[in-house]
Amino acid sequence: MDERTLLILGLLKSQSQHGYQINDFIERNLGRVSDMKKATAYSLLKKLNESGLIEATTEQDGNRPAKQVYSITPAGEEKFYKLLRMSLVQVNDYLPHGDIGICFMDQLPKDEVIGYLNERLAKTEELLASYEAVPPHVEHLHGVNLTIRHRIALFRCDIEWMKQTIEELRARS
Amino acid sequence: MDERTLLILGLLKSQSQHGYQINDFIERNLGRVSDMKKATAYSLLKKLNESGLIEATTEQDGNRPAKQVYSITPAGEEKFYKLLRMSLVQVNDYLPHGDIGICFMDQLPKDEVIGYLNERLAKTEELLASYEAVPPHVEHLHGVNLTIRHRIALFRCDIEWMKQTIEELRARS
DNA sequence: GGGCGCATGTAATGAGTTACATGATTGA
DNA sequence: TCAATCATGTAACTCATTACATGCGCCC
């Protein structure tokens, strides 16, 4: 939750926005950094408003549904910096999804496992290629590029690990 | 949830066990692969029993509280293999926790950020060392070793990425 | 007698998702 | 006129966690 709060406060810090805008920006530009969903964004905005970290003004364009435009408050800025510092020092402790399966791989014939891992390897390489193909440059948020590089590094690491694992399986008598 | 189900079914496949035993095994031997908590294990066991993937017999030792000893059923074995295959082909798509903070790093003075990243780097190196120090060998589940190697690789990757990022920050005018 | 290990469970809470519901504007 | 985009929100649900509650046996 802290992470999502940090994201919303950070986006509002650079510019007052309404919910739709924030969600739209995340979907379009930050799909590779956050998976926050629309409903989550709206309800977080509501909650942050209630707790005084952001404040809302209502805007209306003609006959359209009214917008709730949110701005960050001084308390919100303080919270933003606190969360940002916490986030920067925090160690990533990975518990990769697929590793439970790896634990039980001996329950299947070696060749079958190698087949699955090769499939996974190919899909991961595809994913990596898609990241390498599109150098993203999100305006005013150029730290995003560092996170993309981070993910690319992680994919490469995964690929190496899979190759090594497959090799080792193959080498088994 | 699928992952937790796979874990429990996999453990029961090798041996009928009661809840306490399963939780104990996970805590002692699989703390680096799964973070499933006691209450989760118990309620999952209940649920899997209700859906027929496992079955329970009651055992009593003297006057102690009765144990629910669970065994995997044929339906459970089928489910196990299905989940195992799914798990093995599934691509890991990492969304590292700390990366939201990285996006906003420009909001803090460069030197402060470098300080935080160095702190994070040191902590990660410590964590890595703890993984490298203890070569785990869980009996009958030797795939676990591969997952430990996986995490070691990911930590090394993270460390490299942090060093590179710090270097780049330093190089900024 | 007190604390630890064995053994089971429930209740409250929290975070987040999916799916639903509504309605205006705009462009093909 | 029909679909897409703009715009907001709620309700039900799932998953998992924390904290609580209980009680025996064993050893110091």
Side-chain angles (χ1 to χ4, degrees), chain A residues 16 21 31 39 41 65 68 73 95 121 124 127 150 166:
Chain A
S16 298
Q21 246 176 315
Q68 295 295 311
T73 63
L95 278 184
L121 179 60
T124 307
L127 200 55
H150 192 187
I166 290 167

Side-chain angles (χ1 to χ4, degrees), chain A residues 89-108:
Chain A
V89 293
Q90 172 196 281
V91 173
N92 283 312
D93 199 358
Y94 302 104
L95 278 184
H97 253 87
D99 279 7
I100 301 285
I102 298 292
C103 291
F104 296 115
M105 59 154 72
D106 292 346
Q107 304 280 334
L108 290 174

Side-chain angles (χ1 to χ4, degrees), chain A residues 101 104 107-108, chain B residues 6 80-88:
Chain A
F104 296 115
Q107 304 280 334
L108 290 174
Chain B
L6 174 60
F80 168 75
Y81 284 115
K82 199 184 139 200
L83 291 176
L84 177 54
R85 291 186 172 99
M86 278 175 51
S87 175
L88 287 172

Side-chain angles (χ1 to χ4, degrees), chain A residues 13 85 93-94 112 151, chain B residues 85 93-94 107 112 151:
Chain A
K13 192 166 176 295
R85 290 185 173 99
D93 199 358
Y94 302 104
E112 195 183 340
R151 303 193 73 195
Chain B
R85 291 186 172 99
D93 199 359
Y94 302 104
Q107 303 280 334
E112 195 183 339
R151 302 193 74 194

Side-chain angles (χ1 to χ4, degrees), chain A residues 31-153:
Chain A
R32 292 167 163 187
V33 189
S34 172
D35 55 1
M36 185 165 40
K37 298 296 187 293
K38 198 176 53 167
T40 309
Y42 274 109
S43 65
L44 238 189
L45 282 167
K46 199 179 164 190
K47 207 188 115 193
L48 295 177
N49 184 35
E50 278 160 11
S51 61
L53 299 176
I54 64 179
E55 56 190 9
T57 55
T58 306
E59 268 186 30
Q60 189 123 25
D61 282 351
N63 210 4
R64 285 206 191 166
K67 296 176 213 171
Q68 295 295 311
V69 179
Y70 295 100
S71 312
I72 194 166
T73 63
E77 296 231 351
E78 221 175 283
K79 181 80 176 180
F80 167 76
Y81 284 115
K82 200 184 139 199
L83 292 176
L84 177 54
R85 290 185 173 99
M86 277 173 52
S87 175
L88 287 172
V89 293
Q90 172 196 281
V91 173
N92 283 312
D93 199 358
Y94 302 104
L95 278 184
H97 253 87
D99 279 7
I100 301 285
I102 298 292
C103 291
F104 296 115
M105 59 154 72
D106 292 346
Q107 304 280 334
L108 290 174
K110 184 183 101 171
D111 289 333
E112 195 183 340
V113 173
I114 291 176
Y116 297 137
L117 290 183
N118 271 320
E119 197 179 321
R120 177 161 150 189
L121 179 60
K123 283 196 271 180
T124 307
E125 278 169 341
E126 247 175 74
L127 200 55
L128 170 62
S130 82
Y131 271 74
E132 283 171 331
V134 185
H137 193 70
V138 184
E139 348 72 71
H140 295 110
L141 214 62
H142 107 287
V144 172
N145 301 313
L146 295 171
T147 73
I148 301 294
R149 221 193 276 165
H150 192 187
R151 303 193 73 195
I152 287 177

